[in-house]
Amino acid sequence: MTHPSALHTVSSAAAAPRRGGPVEPRSGTLTPLAPGEVRVTGGFWHDLQRLNASTIIGHCLAWVERVGWLANFDRAADGSLEADHAGIEFVDSEVYKLLEAMAWEIGTDDEGELADTYRDLVNRVAAAQEEDGYLHTFFGRPGQRARFSDLEWGHELYCFGHLLQAAVARLRSGHDDQLPAVARRLADFLVVEFGETGRTAVGGHPEIEVALAEFGRATDTRTYIDLAATFVERRGHGLLAPIEHGQEYFQDDQPVRSGAVLHGHAVRALYLSAGAVDVGVEHDDEALVEAVEGQYVATLARRTYVTGGMGSHHRDEAFGDDFELPHDRAYAETCAAIGSVMVSWRLLLHSGKARYGDVIERTLLNAVLASPRRDGKAFFYSNTLHQRTPGLPPAEDSTSPRAQSSMRAPWFEVSCCPTNVARTLASAHLYFATRSDAGLQIHQFGDFTATAEVGGEELTVQIASAYPFEGDVVLKVIAAPSSPVEIALRVPAWAEAEATWSVNGDGLTVALGDGYLRVTGIVSADTGLLLSLPLTPRVVSPDPHIDDVRGQVAIERGPLVLALESIDLPDGVDTESVEIDLSSPIESTPTGARVTLRRRTDRELPWPYDGASTTDTDAGPAIVADMIPYARWANRGPSTMRVFLPTARP
Ligand SMILES: [Zn+2]
């Protein structure tokens, strides 16, 4: 297919761009590693990244083609696109998130089938860019609404943001070619349109903030970062027209730095927070970073599910009030979990606090990874923690409403989550490790190598672990500098009391503190460390303020939140009529736990508020059942499921 994209094609810049991860702050306690400096060598994450490369990316690509969202660009380029645009206002962004996923996956090599597909896709996008840099398929043409005529719902700036982030991924993989050129023209257009002398406005869905900040970093362009700051500071002054969900839905009810806790639409709030941290770091505005950190910490304490999922409301995809966390109506959108990882990663880099590595671990393993089906061809958009009736298998060949599917669906009318999963999986390894002047920090576990220059010399370590299913983490030094270094491994908060370790090497100091096990001294190529984290299943009780699950418990095994799925119960026993017997031992299984349940005999009454006398715990034989990782539920056909279980009376 030929597109009139030659107009916009530029030759590669003279110097290769600086490689890096999705976030490269100008300053911070910790410095991220670049692609190539972290290499996944096998195991859990290798399997997931292979699934992403072999299936998820292709699945998303097939769907954006099939539903006409890619053809929107072709038709914009050849002048045939009018009001008959395919899909809702922001479907351009799915193509951009897919381009971001592909850029991370292609990496530095830029050869092969995926690279060819990527270039074809970029050609089609580039061809739709207008002379002044604007690029959106839903607005501005004959028969379409005018540009920026619907800043509340139009999502133009949101889509632009995802285009810029896709360009960042390309630049950070070492290529300054067509998509970064398209993104520069778009960003320059935005500086004129929305900068200090342009229109005083913000977009209804934050995303442009985090994207402009990063694109500014990736291109060394302060004006882009300054525009990101302008968007952050403008928010909260009622610039957006009132809507039925109220101004707080798009965080336009109060200035970003004056909030106490995240509120309103969860994905919007989290993307905005990520952008605000970036702007705060770039402008040495510690007060802004601290404000956002305070809001996020309060959100973790009062508005977060045990999986790390965020957002309680189906109605407006929003955070609820403090401790308003319904489990059978949990919204917990996959994109909100990804947004939380984005915020945590920025705060980890800024502060070095191990706690944010804990949050990333919990959220990635239990919330983000719950989305893709085992075969990579269907996804959860919302993530309930309690499924009362067996889900209905969605049609595999049509789009599903975004949140009504009780099983994973292949594609959605609003399909933000699948492509978000794809870009997150493709870049997941870049969240595993960091460096500092002192040495290397390992934040996540699996099979990978991490390398950094410390004091002008190379420090490379190899991590081997069957985590999250086994608790031993083996670290081996591969290349060592001649001067002393510090190698830090995050020890999750749940493991701190019982973690054990042994070191192979002379004259090294080992200390556990602040969530890290730190090995300090002169290491050599035979230095080794074994960290053992206890994976004995743990009983987790919720804060009593969370009325929805008061008196119930969850079971965690290592970093994994477990779930009881009906498929693992004997015939005739359902998840709604069992209680967990905590007086019986809970045994570890290879991936979960074996628990003892007691059956409750329920008597249905015409009026269900006649007190506890209506139920008895069955005195019959105990039911022994396996609980599985929550992220893996709904992979064996329609089922019911619950994370929190009532406890049997002794
Ligand atoms: Zn989503």
Side-chain angles (χ1 to χ4, degrees):
M1 192 181 289
T2 308
H3 299 280
S5 56
L7 268 178
H8 296 305
T9 309
V10 293
S11 57
S12 293
R18 197 171 59 245
R19 284 158 55 188
V23 189
E24 294 287 332
R26 186 166 59 84
S27 64
T29 305
L30 306 176
T31 303
L33 300 185
E37 292 175 336
V38 187
R39 289 182 190 276
V40 176
T41 53
F44 182 80
W45 285 105
H46 181 266
D47 292 349
L48 281 165
Q49 292 194 318
R50 284 312 92 206
L51 180 70
N52 194 41
S54 70
T55 305
I56 294 176
I57 287 174
H59 174 88
C60 294
L61 182 57
W63 271 101
V64 291
E65 192 79 89
R66 172 180 183 159
V67 291
W69 300 354
L70 255 175
N72 285 333
F73 290 94
D74 306 335
R75 295 165 62 220
D78 69 19
S80 64
L81 181 63
E82 294 181 1
D84 57 344
H85 173 279
I88 46 154
E89 293 94 331
F90 49 94
V91 296
D92 289 0
S93 67
E94 310 315 338
V95 174
Y96 301 151
K97 277 184 282 181
L98 187 55
L99 284 172
E100 182 184 339
M102 293 166 86
W104 291 124
E105 183 55 42
I106 292 163
T108 53
D109 291 348
D110 206 24
E111 282 172 12
E113 200 181 323
L114 186 63
D116 292 342
T117 306
Y118 173 85
R119 272 188 288 271
D120 178 57
L121 227 58
V122 171
N123 272 329
R124 294 169 71 178
V125 167
Q129 186 165 37
E130 298 181 33
E131 285 303 317
D132 61 359
Y134 180 91
L135 206 181
H136 201 286
T137 65
F138 197 85
F139 291 94
R141 290 172 194 80
Q144 295 186 329
R145 283 183 284 161
R147 290 179 183 184
F148 307 120
S149 57
D150 184 5
L151 284 163
E152 288 73 25
W153 296 110
H155 287 75
E156 283 155 292
L157 293 166
Y158 168 86
C159 291
F160 298 161
H162 279 300
L163 190 153
L164 299 185
Q165 283 188 318
V168 168
R170 186 65 174 165
L171 287 165
R172 295 268 168 76
S173 304
H175 312 286
D176 192 353
D177 51 6
Q178 191 173 15
L179 193 68
V182 168
R184 279 190 183 85
R185 280 194 292 275
L186 175 61
D188 290 342
F189 164 81
L190 291 175
V191 168
V192 173
E193 190 75 22
F194 288 94
E196 296 301 346
T197 56
R199 61 175 89 206
T200 305
V202 295
H205 197 314
E207 158 63 23
I208 191 66
E209 300 81 359
V210 71
L212 273 171
E214 211 55 51
F215 191 61
R217 287 165 169 169
T219 56
D220 287 322
T221 310
R222 296 302 298 177
T223 46
Y224 301 158
I225 296 169
D226 292 344
L227 182 58
T230 300
F231 278 132
V232 167
E233 298 298 349
R234 270 183 197 160
R235 205 163 202 92
H237 298 282
L239 291 172
L240 294 162
I243 58 159
E244 59 167 322
H245 301 314
Q247 222 72 15
E248 78 164 49
Y249 173 80
F250 26 51
Q251 293 78 40
D252 199 28
D253 57 327
Q254 56 182 329
V256 172
R257 57 178 82 230
S258 65
V261 63
L262 297 185
H263 61 284
H265 187 275
V267 178
R268 282 169 165 81
L270 288 156
Y271 284 9
L272 177 63
S273 296
V277 173
D278 287 340
V279 164
V281 167
E282 291 309 308
H283 283 182
D284 291 323
D285 186 348
E286 189 60 27
L288 179 58
V289 178
E290 271 179 23
V292 175
E293 183 171 14
Q295 292 161 24
Y296 185 65
V297 165
T299 303
L300 289 171
R302 308 198 293 260
R303 299 186 174 190
T304 304
Y305 288 99
V306 68
T307 53
M310 291 184 176
S312 315
H313 290 180
H314 276 247
R315 185 180 67 100
D316 51 359
E317 302 185 306
F319 286 102
D321 290 337
D322 288 350
F323 305 110
E324 181 195 344
L325 292 162
H327 284 63
D328 50 4
R329 288 289 291 163
Y331 197 67
E333 183 182 340
T334 302
C335 289
I338 290 168
S340 179
V341 170
M342 288 163 57
V343 176
S344 263
W345 179 241
R346 285 160 173 80
L347 293 174
L348 175 63
L349 295 176
H350 183 68
S351 69
K353 291 176 191 165
R355 179 187 187 180
Y356 297 120
D358 285 9
V359 176
I360 291 171
E361 170 178 278
R362 178 175 294 276
T363 310
L364 273 182
L365 293 176
N366 299 294
V368 178
L369 291 187
S371 179
R373 195 168 65 192
R374 193 162 45 191
D375 67 358
K377 294 179 177 174
F379 303 84
F380 273 133
Y381 186 116
S382 64
N383 292 274
T384 188
L385 279 82
H386 182 180
Q387 180 73 30
R388 292 176 181 273
T389 55
L392 216 55
E396 292 289 324
D397 57 356
S398 60
T399 54
S400 292
R402 66 174 97 179
Q404 287 163 26
S405 172
S406 45
M407 295 185 71
R408 295 174 182 87
W411 203 248
F412 301 91
E413 284 155 24
V414 173
S415 214
C416 46
C417 301
T419 52
N420 224 349
V421 168
R423 70 177 183 140
T424 304
L425 284 180
S427 55
H429 57 296
L430 298 169
Y431 298 89
F432 289 178
T434 54
R435 67 180 165 82
S436 66
D437 290 344
L440 273 170
Q441 301 81 36
I442 307 299
H443 304 286
Q444 307 298 332
F445 307 124
D447 290 337
F448 62 92
T449 60
T451 189
E453 207 180 272
V454 182
E457 294 178 274
E458 181 191 336
L459 171 62
T460 298
V461 300
Q462 182 174 47
I463 309 293
S465 176
Y467 205 78
F469 303 119
E470 293 177 24
D472 282 357
V473 178
V474 177
L475 180 147
K476 193 166 170 276
V477 175
I478 303 294
S482 52
S483 49
V485 295
E486 178 188 276
I487 301 172
L489 280 85
R490 181 182 60 88
V491 176
W494 50 262
E496 228 171 316
E498 291 176 55
T500 58
W501 55 86
S502 61
V503 178
N504 169 30
D506 296 329
L508 297 170
T509 307
V510 187
L512 175 63
D514 296 331
Y516 292 102
L517 182 68
R518 299 172 197 275
V519 180
T520 319
I522 296 179
V523 297
S524 61
D526 57 5
T527 300
L529 172 71
L530 168 64
L531 169 65
S532 296
L533 303 171
L535 297 197
T536 314
R538 305 184 305 281
V539 177
V540 175
S541 296
D543 185 311
H545 289 92
I546 308 174
D547 294 83
D548 190 68
V549 288
R550 186 187 291 147
Q552 303 184 28
V553 296
I555 306 296
E556 294 182 345
R557 180 185 182 277
L560 298 175
V561 174
L562 304 184
L564 180 68
E565 194 173 10
S566 54
I567 287 165
D568 296 308
L569 289 172
D571 283 348
V573 179
D574 78 64
T575 50
E576 302 313 293
S577 65
V578 292
E579 298 176 341
I580 186 166
D581 180 353
L582 294 177
S583 66
S584 298
I586 299 174
E587 290 168 25
S588 203
T589 64
T591 60
R594 186 159 297 154
V595 298
T596 301
L597 304 169
R598 300 285 168 180
R599 194 169 175 180
R600 199 177 56 225
T601 307
D602 296 331
R603 292 192 294 276
E604 191 173 355
L605 295 174
W607 180 242
Y609 301 100
D610 281 348
S613 63
T614 57
T615 62
D616 296 308
T617 300
D618 195 337
I623 300 160
V624 176
D626 286 351
M627 294 181 71
I628 62 164
Y630 166 76
R632 292 187 167 186
W633 89 278
N635 268 302
R636 298 172 290 174
S639 64
T640 63
M641 176 279 299
R642 56 191 305 155
V643 169
F644 278 90
L645 299 166
T647 55
R649 282 160 287 177

